[in-house]
Amino acid sequence: MVLLLGLLQFIMISIICVYELKRKSVAVFLWAVLLVMFGIMHMLSILLNTYEYSTDTMNEASLFVILFCCFYLITRYLTQCKKDIITEEKLELKNDEKDNMKKFMYVLFIGLIFIVFIRLIMLSRQAGGLLNTSWGTMRETVGGYFSFSQIFIPIFFACSSCMILAIKLKNKKILILSVLVILLEVMISRNRIEILPIFCSFIYAFILKNKKFTIKQIAILALIGILSIYFIYALRVFRHSGSIENFFDTYNLVSFNEKVGEYLEDDSGELGLRKNMYYFIENNNNFEDFEKGYTYIRMALVLLPTEWSFGLKPEDFAITMGKAVLPTAVGYSVHPTLFGDVYANFGFFGFLMGIFWAIFVLMLDKIVIKSYKLLRLPLSIICGIIYIIQARGSVYNAFSWLVYCIIIMIFIYIMFRLIINTKKLRY
C-alpha cells in the first residue's frame, strides 16, 4: 500500500504539471517545484526504503497529497477559461507598443541597478567591505516595517522582470547586464531566492515560445530543473562558507563540487523540507497553535502590520512551526513545502484547500491576462517567483511580497505613463 500511494501522489502532481504547462500558466512553477521537492523525493524515499518515519505516516502524507491534488485539479478544470491562457498572439506588439515596451524595460533596468547599488553599499558598510560580507551580514541588516531591507525584495523582484522584456525584445545587452547585476547581488548577499528571476525568465520564455511540448522539449526543461537544483545547492555551500575571502581559502573546484554532492546526498536543504511534514503527521499536529489556519489569517490581513493589529494578526506561522521542530531555538523558522504548511494549518482535512489554491491560481491568471499589455510578462515572472517560494512552504512571506510587488509594479507603470505621456495600452 505504501508503494502504491507513493506512486499515485507522484502521478497526480505530474498530471497537474502537464496540465498547467499546456495552459502556459505560471502555476507550472508551483507544481514543478512541488514535484521535485515532494513528489519525486517522497516516492524515492519509499522506493529506496530510506524514510525515517512510520509506514502510517508515509501513507497519510501520500493520501493527503493525492486528495489535495484531486480537489485542485477538479476545481481548476471546472473554472478553466480559454480567455485566461497567455499565448504568443496575446503578447504580439505593434510598432508603437514595442517602443513603449523598450522604454519600460529601461525603466525597470535602471530601477534594478539603483536598488542593488543601495543594497550593496549597506552590506559593505555593515561588513567593512564587500569581500567581508556573509549571510550573517545580510541578516543583521533586517529592519522593522517599511525599512529598506523589508521593501528591497518586492522592489528587486519587480525591477528584475526587465529580463523577460529583454528576452521578448531580443535585447541581449540589457539581458546580459541584468543577469550580471542579479548574480553580483546574490554573491554578495547570499540570499538564494534572489536568483529566481533569472531561472523564471528563461524558463517561462521557453514555455511561451513552444506551442506544443515534445519529449525533447520536456527533457530540456527537466535538464534546466536539474541544473537549477545544483546551482541552488552550490549557493548553499557558498553561504555556509562565510565571507568571500574564506570561501576561496576553503574550496577549490573539486572540493566545492564534492561538498555540493554531500549536501545533495544527505537529503538536506530544499530536497529535505518534506520531512517536516512527516514530523507533523507523526505527532498528529500536537503542537501549540497548529490547525488554526494562522497562515491564511495572516494572508487575509497582509496589509496590516502585526504590531498594529491588536492581536488579530497571529505571529508568522513559519516561526510557530519552527518552535514545534526545534523548541530550544529562538526565531527559528520552518518551511515544510506547501503541502506541509497546509497540513500544519488545518490537519488531514486540509486537503480541501486544494480548492482554495485552484481559485488562487485562477485569480492570478486573470490578473495577469487582464492587466495592461506591458505588465503581462513582468507580472507573470513575479507570480512565477512567488509560486516557487510558496511551493517550498514560505507561503505567507511569498504572498506578502506578491501583494507589494503588484502595488510597486502598478506604481511604476502609472509613473511611466505620466512621464512619457503614453496612450492607454490595453490589449
Side-chain angles (χ1 to χ4, degrees), residues 94-112:
K94 299 175 183 177
N95 289 332
D96 60 330
E97 291 174 329
K98 287 182 179 179
D99 184 55
N100 284 324
M101 180 174 279
K102 185 176 181 180
K103 292 176 182 177
F104 192 59
M105 175 192 68
Y106 278 113
V107 169
L108 293 176
F109 176 66
I110 292 171
L112 176 65

Side-chain angles (χ1 to χ4, degrees), residues 79-92:
T79 58
Q80 69 179 344
C81 179
K82 289 184 178 181
K83 292 181 180 180
D84 297 329
I85 300 176
I86 291 183
T87 61
E88 275 290 295
E89 290 75 20
K90 290 182 180 180
L91 295 172
E92 286 302 318

